[in-house]
Amino acid sequence: MALSGGTPYHLPRPSVEDGVIMEGAVGVQSSVADLLTYSQKVMQAADDQISRNTTSNEGSPLKQVSTLLENHINQSAAPSKLERSYALGWIRTMLPGPLGTVGFNPMYVEAMPMTGSDSFSLRQSLNSKPNDYVELARKSVETSNRLWSQMAEELEDARIPDTPVRELSQHVGSYYNVVKHWHMEVWVGQGKLYMCHQGDRKQFYPLEHYNHDTFTWLLTRDQMIRRGLFPVTKTEYYILAFGQGEDGQIDYVLWRHDPSVSEGETFKRLSGSASEKGLPLLASKGKQNALGAKR
């Protein structure tokens, strides 16, 4: 991946082992040639299954391909004669139309250019100016860098200065979501508050007091890249609002990590100090620290 100045940064391959989130994603390694062969077989299986009104092909492991490729969610912002829709892991686009309208592109590019030409306007397509993808990439870099500095400015502008802060130890604990399959662990180390997800203290984040019982954990873009993290550019994502129960003690954290859930998700405190579990207070030697550099 590229750092903010354009310098490439090589991320090590994620380990493949049981019980990690990347187990399925990195379980198979491939090449462009393999993917082209796979795509061809998918299309062949789809044609055969649709023509025979079946869900399988003799000698093929691909099942229900027509369901995988059919329109499930409309992606067009306005009524159009040309379809653009989401299938199961695929984006269907009728040409001429914009390609690459999902993923990172909408975050950094105002609009993707049209690809393809109208069959009734060959002259127009021959005389049209080709898409400048180098310029799009340049604008994408500028937007990405601007968004990170913009988030820092937004946090600072909304900060309420000189609010009291509780003893850091009052925030210590393990905070779980409702179904208890995701939790944040908060602890004190060297006079500061730290947080990690799923008890993985090799990937920890320093919490900075923001106001009252609210803390932030915003890193820089390059720090996120060095740690191989998804570059979320929503300011509220980096805010943790601790809340108190009827006894006046901290007993939950409110985290707005999902833009589709505006009220945020509540993580209830179910235990005391994480150090009681025998975990180290800071990442061990040779592991990445909170800033993404090697210790």
Side-chain angles (χ1 to χ4, degrees):
M1 297 183 71
L3 301 177
S4 56
T7 304
Y9 182 81
H10 178 70
L11 290 169
R13 286 181 175 272
S15 59
V16 183
E17 55 189 272
D18 292 340
V20 298
I21 194 170
M22 293 300 292
E23 178 183 356
V26 298
V28 176
Q29 295 190 24
S30 187
S31 65
V32 173
D34 289 342
L35 291 174
L36 289 173
T37 300
Y38 169 73
S39 299
Q40 184 182 45
K41 295 300 182 182
V42 168
M43 299 308 297
Q44 290 174 353
D47 289 343
D48 182 59
Q49 290 178 20
I50 292 172
S51 65
R52 296 190 301 110
N53 193 27
T54 184
T55 60
S56 63
N57 310 83
E58 184 177 353
S60 173
L62 303 172
K63 311 296 182 183
Q64 301 187 38
V65 179
S66 58
T67 300
L68 296 177
L69 299 183
E70 71 183 11
N71 177 353
H72 290 280
I73 303 175
N74 180 41
Q75 295 286 305
S76 299
S80 172
K81 66 178 181 179
L82 300 176
E83 178 191 338
R84 190 166 80 249
S85 61
Y86 174 77
L88 298 181
W90 304 76
I91 293 294
R92 297 161 51 101
T93 301
M94 293 180 66
L95 301 181
L99 300 180
T101 57
V102 295
F104 288 108
N105 291 330
M107 295 169 56
Y108 304 131
V109 179
E110 197 170 306
M112 293 300 292
M114 298 290 284
T115 300
S117 61
D118 294 304
S119 59
F120 56 81
S121 184
L122 180 59
R123 173 176 292 189
Q124 182 180 8
S125 68
L126 291 174
N127 294 334
S128 62
K129 184 179 179 181
N131 295 326
D132 190 345
Y133 289 102
V134 173
E135 177 63 14
L136 282 175
R138 185 189 65 78
K139 290 181 178 179
S140 175
V141 170
E142 292 178 353
T143 302
S144 176
N145 290 336
R146 185 180 72 249
L147 286 173
W148 287 92
S149 59
Q150 182 177 307
M151 285 193 295
E153 292 172 1
E154 289 176 354
L155 283 173
E156 191 57 37
D157 289 344
R159 183 190 298 274
I160 304 174
D162 303 323
T163 59
V165 56
R166 298 173 186 252
E167 288 290 331
L168 296 182
S169 59
Q170 294 186 36
H171 302 83
V172 169
S174 296
Y175 298 81
Y176 286 76
N177 62 359
V178 173
V179 294
K180 298 181 176 60
H181 73 339
W182 189 272
H183 75 281
M184 290 178 280
E185 198 152 9
V186 178
W187 72 96
V188 177
Q190 300 179 355
K192 295 194 66 174
L193 207 58
Y194 293 90
M195 178 270 291
C196 73
H197 297 288
Q198 300 294 79
D200 182 8
R201 293 204 179 187
K202 297 189 300 294
Q203 293 285 346
F204 65 92
Y205 309 90
L207 299 181
E208 300 292 337
H209 183 243
Y210 190 54
N211 56 59
H212 301 292
D213 291 326
T214 299
F215 289 76
T216 64
W217 57 286
L218 178 66
L219 304 180
T220 67
R221 181 185 181 278
D222 286 355
Q223 288 167 352
M224 297 286 281
I225 293 299
R226 290 190 176 99
R227 300 183 67 171
L229 300 175
F230 190 88
V232 179
T233 52
K234 301 294 184 182
T235 306
E236 60 271 17
Y237 183 83
Y238 302 97
I239 297 176
L240 297 180
F242 291 83
Q244 64 182 29
E246 294 181 356
D247 60 358
Q249 300 300 309
I250 296 293
D251 74 345
Y252 70 88
V253 170
L254 181 66
W255 184 26
R256 292 182 170 86
H257 61 88
D258 186 346
S260 64
V261 184
S262 59
E263 67 274 18
E265 184 174 7
T266 298
F267 293 75
K268 291 286 291 184
R269 182 181 183 181
L270 297 184
S271 69
S273 173
S275 62
E276 295 172 1
K277 300 181 180 180
L279 295 171
L281 285 180
L282 294 176
S284 59
K285 186 177 181 180
K287 302 295 184 181
Q288 285 189 325
N289 64 17
L291 301 182
K294 294 292 184 182
R295 292 177 60 82

